[in-house]
Amino acid sequence: MTEEGRSGGDLGELGMVSRHAPSVQQLESFLALAEELHFGRAAARLFLTQPALSRQLQALEERLDVLLVQRSRRHVEITAAGEALLPKARAVVEAMAGLCRAAGAHARQVDGRLVIGSIGAEAAMPYTRAILDELHTRHPRLRTSVRGLDLATHFDALVRGEVDVMFLRPPVPAGIETLLLASEPRVACLPADDPLAGRDEVRLAELAGRTVVDIPPPCPRVWWRFWAADPRPDGSVVRYGPMVPDMEALLLAVSRGEAMAFLPAAARHFFPRPGVGYVAVPDLPPGTAALAWAGRNRALPTIVAIRQAAAAVLRHAPAAR
């Protein structure tokens, strides 16, 4: 017989089998009865009436052309044939459940593209890498790109839809939602020749009177006032100096002695620069890191996907909070 003939025969045989094959529901009824050995309990477990369970079992026996259960008014017994077929029935039910799980997982995968914004060193932080790894594992067909944004316009990029989500440092203005990822101390970023730059730590009051770099519009003032520690607890006025749109301009202004800044402690590692020193400020409230998105877009499939990936990472590493 040719290869084509054998293939056609195989398909024909498969078609005959499928027409006479029992349903998964019938097999589940048989398995439940084999475990309970009681029609009432098995029916309740399957949320069926006893007559409905009996009809399922009878249809299964007719399709298989074999007696599976011996019934009496008080006793249920699985026949020898039924015992022999139990492993096969269980394997079919488990295989079908696995097929449904795999199909569901495939259906839940997200297609499309997600543009991710990042400020400072957020793209290199461990939580960012873990979230993107988790996202790609869950949704391998989702294409992602990461775009570095400057300090002055990063919120504007999110509001205008230039990026879909962003790894940033709160606080955030109205209309933006966040998932907090981590918390860390803030440090003073000082000119290297500042008398305080050589110390291990300083108090916030000791920095009173020092000029702080400013951020130009459209950056929300609520954000920069937090990062400038304005207002100060002692009521002293913060004096703002040169406006800097991005991190490199900020570090240059500090190195030239024009002003100082407060940054996340991670800046020590990610932004070492000649002429710049970092000093701990223990009485300065810590800063947080977050994943952010525009509130109006929270239900978009791609944004739901990265929010869920971030939540999964946080469940496995709660200490990051």
Side-chain angles (χ1 to χ4, degrees):
M1 182 182 293
T2 66
E3 196 67 35
E4 182 180 353
R6 281 197 298 271
S7 176
D10 291 345
L11 290 174
E13 183 179 349
L14 180 60
M16 292 180 62
V17 170
S18 65
R19 285 194 295 273
H20 298 285
S23 69
V24 173
Q25 187 177 18
Q26 291 165 355
L27 293 173
E28 288 175 338
S29 298
F30 174 46
L31 293 176
L33 187 60
E35 292 176 7
E36 300 291 347
L37 295 177
H38 188 281
F39 271 88
R41 290 194 297 271
R45 173 173 158 182
L46 297 170
F47 301 100
L48 297 173
T49 64
Q50 290 190 48
L53 176 61
S54 295
R55 288 193 296 272
Q56 290 282 354
L57 192 62
Q58 183 177 358
L60 176 62
E61 290 178 324
E62 289 174 355
R63 290 207 170 188
L64 295 177
D65 195 24
V66 66
L67 184 66
L68 301 172
V69 177
Q70 292 282 6
R71 309 163 178 84
S72 69
R73 298 186 65 179
R74 295 188 177 184
H75 188 64
V76 174
E77 183 178 349
I78 306 300
T79 65
E83 291 286 355
L85 293 178
L86 267 176
K88 298 289 187 182
R90 188 172 291 108
V92 170
V93 171
E94 291 175 352
M96 187 60 71
L99 174 65
C100 292
R101 286 193 299 272
H106 184 78
R108 288 191 297 272
Q109 286 186 2
V110 177
D111 288 316
R113 182 168 179 255
L114 185 70
V115 182
I116 302 164
S118 170
I119 65 166
E122 292 305 294
M125 299 299 284
Y127 44 78
T128 302
R129 298 198 304 271
I131 290 168
L132 295 183
D133 287 347
E134 179 71 17
L135 179 65
H136 293 154
T137 298
R138 289 168 171 244
H139 305 287
R141 297 198 304 266
L142 179 62
R143 291 173 291 119
T144 60
S145 60
V146 179
R147 182 181 302 175
L149 299 168
D150 62 44
L151 302 177
T153 61
H154 68 288
F155 285 115
D156 208 34
L158 188 58
V159 170
R160 290 200 307 261
E162 295 175 7
V163 297
D164 301 307
V165 296
M166 188 183 301
F167 291 96
L168 50 65
R169 296 284 175 152
V172 299
I176 294 177
E177 300 177 356
T178 61
L179 176 64
L180 296 184
L181 304 175
S183 176
E184 68 175 312
R186 287 186 284 170
V187 296
C189 177
L190 297 168
D193 59 1
D194 187 294
L196 299 178
R199 290 172 45 178
D200 292 332
E201 61 181 49
V202 298
R203 311 299 293 181
L204 186 57
E206 296 179 84
L207 298 167
R210 278 173 170 75
T211 300
V212 179
V213 295
D214 204 355
I215 299 291
C219 181
R221 293 311 295 175
V222 65
W223 184 70
W224 192 241
R225 288 187 69 188
F226 171 82
W227 284 99
D230 181 13
R232 299 290 168 86
D234 61 3
S236 60
V237 176
V238 175
R239 185 172 69 247
Y240 289 99
M243 287 192 173
V244 294
D246 53 43
M247 278 298 301
E248 289 304 323
L250 181 153
L251 294 167
L252 178 61
V254 172
S255 69
R256 295 177 62 181
E258 296 174 356
M260 64 157 293
F262 295 104
L263 296 174
R268 295 177 185 267
H269 173 71
F270 288 104
F271 301 113
R273 295 292 187 276
V276 172
Y278 296 100
V279 184
V281 188
D283 58 339
L284 189 64
T288 56
L291 175 69
W293 59 89
R296 66 179 183 276
N297 296 332
R298 72 185 327 269
L300 293 179
T302 51
I303 293 179
V304 171
I306 193 170
R307 287 169 49 206
Q308 291 175 340
V313 169
L314 291 176
R315 281 196 300 271
H316 289 96
R321 288 182 177 271

